[in-house]
Amino acid sequence: METLTARGRAVRLTATLLGLALLLLGTVHGTDDDFPFGPFRMYSTSDPPDAPAPDTRVEGVDGTGTVVPLGQDATGIRRAEIEGQQDRYAAEPGLLRTVAEAYAERHPAAPALVEVRIVVRWYDIQGGRPTGEWTDRTAVRWQAGG
């Protein structure tokens, strides 16, 4: 085993201190986007036991009026990608056109989609248990030609 030189120790110590400083700064002022130097809050919080639980889905309506589920198998787009950019879709609903285009690429013989929407199903929770009741809310809607 070789002995570490003074320069080698200084480089390692500097890198360690820099990493620790970034971790401390990220913990105090960071957001999830700064991971791994920022906090990863996804699992560090919980909702109250009676708070409704959201379940987000993407669906389309084709030219015949049929509602089409637009999950990963139908479009190649993961639900997490949609959920992660939901605020962006809300600000610019026209971005949902890309979901319709992805569906059309995978299903060229299917009727074209005339609407794509992000729907959040809010499950009612009481005492930490689902009641079996829910409410659907359309969070974002894009319509072809609109």
Side-chain angles (χ1 to χ4, degrees):
M1 184 161 84
E2 294 184 32
T3 305
L4 193 60
T5 65
R7 182 173 186 250
R9 280 193 296 275
V11 168
R12 288 183 184 192
L13 180 61
T14 301
T16 301
L17 292 174
L18 179 62
L20 289 173
L22 286 172
L23 284 172
L24 180 62
L25 184 65
T27 299
V28 174
H29 297 289
T31 65
D32 285 351
D33 293 336
D34 301 322
F35 186 80
F37 295 105
F40 195 51
R41 293 188 172 108
M42 180 186 296
Y43 300 109
S44 67
T45 62
S46 64
D47 292 326
D50 292 335
D55 181 25
T56 303
R57 69 180 185 273
V58 182
E59 59 188 28
V61 179
D62 67 22
T64 68
T66 302
V67 176
V68 180
L70 298 177
Q72 183 173 350
D73 291 340
T75 64
I77 302 170
R78 296 177 324 153
R79 183 176 82 170
E81 293 174 39
I82 299 290
E83 288 177 340
Q85 296 190 46
Q86 190 168 327
D87 291 340
R88 187 171 168 223
Y89 287 117
E92 297 179 60
L95 294 173
L96 286 174
R97 175 179 305 150
T98 59
V99 177
E101 291 167 354
Y103 175 78
E105 284 181 28
R106 288 179 172 242
H107 305 277
L113 297 177
V114 297
E115 182 178 340
V116 175
R117 55 191 176 217
I118 299 174
V119 179
V120 180
R121 177 165 286 178
W122 290 93
Y123 287 96
D124 187 46
I125 307 291
Q126 295 297 320
R129 302 269 184 227
T131 65
E133 302 290 321
W134 70 81
T135 304
D136 283 345
R137 184 181 66 83
T138 300
V140 183
R141 172 178 282 131
W142 166 81
Q143 292 180 312

